[in-house]
Amino acid sequence: MLSHDQIWGAIDTLAQRYGFTASGLARKAGLDATTFNRSKRVAPDGRERWPSTESISKILAATGASFDEFMSVVLRREPAPARTIPLIGFAQAGSGGFFDDGGFPVGTGWEEVAFPGVADEKAYALEISGDSMLPLYRDGDTIIVSPTATVRRGDRVVVKTVEGEVLAKQLKRQTAKTVELASLNPEHADRVLNNAEIAFMARVIWASQ
């Protein structure tokens, strides 16, 4: 029998694991920012309030976590050993040889970092360089990118153009012909790219800041 504390504790742990506060996770999941507040977990009459299965489903979609991972946290089982994923410099990512046509990292010889809880075997880490992505990402920050995760409007994404330019933006709008990208830094303009200009677009599932 699962307890009220187990379920809410698992949500708090999952939020922390993926770099969110409880309210930040709620917003990322498309819910009201107060959905996971502690004050919402018990009714004024003392009755326990439980998160809905729809809310949990949205949490998993927002973080990229699997249901098995969530249940492991709920049941407080030992987490799976952290596996290593490729660490690629942002400047390196623009050169040839690091990705295949689908945006998956290829080859060997790069640095690696240990990172738990990533179900995507093709996930990789990018080390930010420069200040073009301030204030969200700073020089030296690490972001984890999942090429297989579904990309939705409002997601932070890494886009590589066929010319070799690598961008970290927010997906503003996607049509049959173009992709509109909102800049993370107000000093840099938003971008509109034709689909033919894009080599790949992958979702950012975690950032170190």
Side-chain angles (χ1 to χ4, degrees), residues 101-114:
D101 292 340
F104 302 124
V106 295
T108 58
W110 45 44
E111 292 184 53
E112 293 189 333
V113 292

Side-chain angles (χ1 to χ4, degrees), residues 93-131:
S95 61
F98 281 94
F99 303 98
D100 63 17
D101 292 340
F104 302 124
V106 295
T108 58
W110 45 44
E111 292 184 53
E112 293 189 333
V113 292
F115 195 83
V118 177
D120 184 357
E121 294 184 357
K122 298 294 187 178
Y124 56 91
L126 282 176
E127 185 175 5
I128 300 299
S129 58
D131 61 0

Side-chain angles (χ1 to χ4, degrees), residues 10-23 25 59 63 206:
I11 290 174
D12 289 337
T13 299
L14 208 64
Q16 184 179 26
R17 179 176 294 181
Y18 286 91
F20 296 102
T21 61
S23 60
L25 178 59
I59 289 171
T63 60
W206 185 86

Side-chain angles (χ1 to χ4, degrees), residues 152-166:
R152 301 180 180 87
R153 184 176 181 176
D155 282 342
R156 295 163 189 166
V157 295
V158 169
V159 176
K160 183 177 180 181
T161 70
V162 294
E163 297 296 326
E165 185 180 11
V166 180

Side-chain angles (χ1 to χ4, degrees), residues 59-109:
I59 289 171
L60 300 182
T63 60
S66 66
F67 182 71
D68 285 345
E69 180 183 354
F70 178 75
M71 288 308 300
S72 292
V73 177
V74 170
L75 299 174
R76 291 181 171 83
R77 293 199 298 261
E78 287 298 316
R83 68 180 182 88
T84 58
I85 58 177
L87 174 63
I88 303 170
F90 213 78
Q92 290 175 307
S95 61
F98 281 94
F99 303 98
D100 63 17
D101 292 340
F104 302 124
V106 295
T108 58

Side-chain angles (χ1 to χ4, degrees), residues 180-194:
E180 297 180 25
L181 301 169
S183 179
L184 305 176
N185 187 334
E187 295 183 4
H188 292 257
D190 293 350
R191 296 283 294 273
V192 178
L193 299 172
N194 292 322

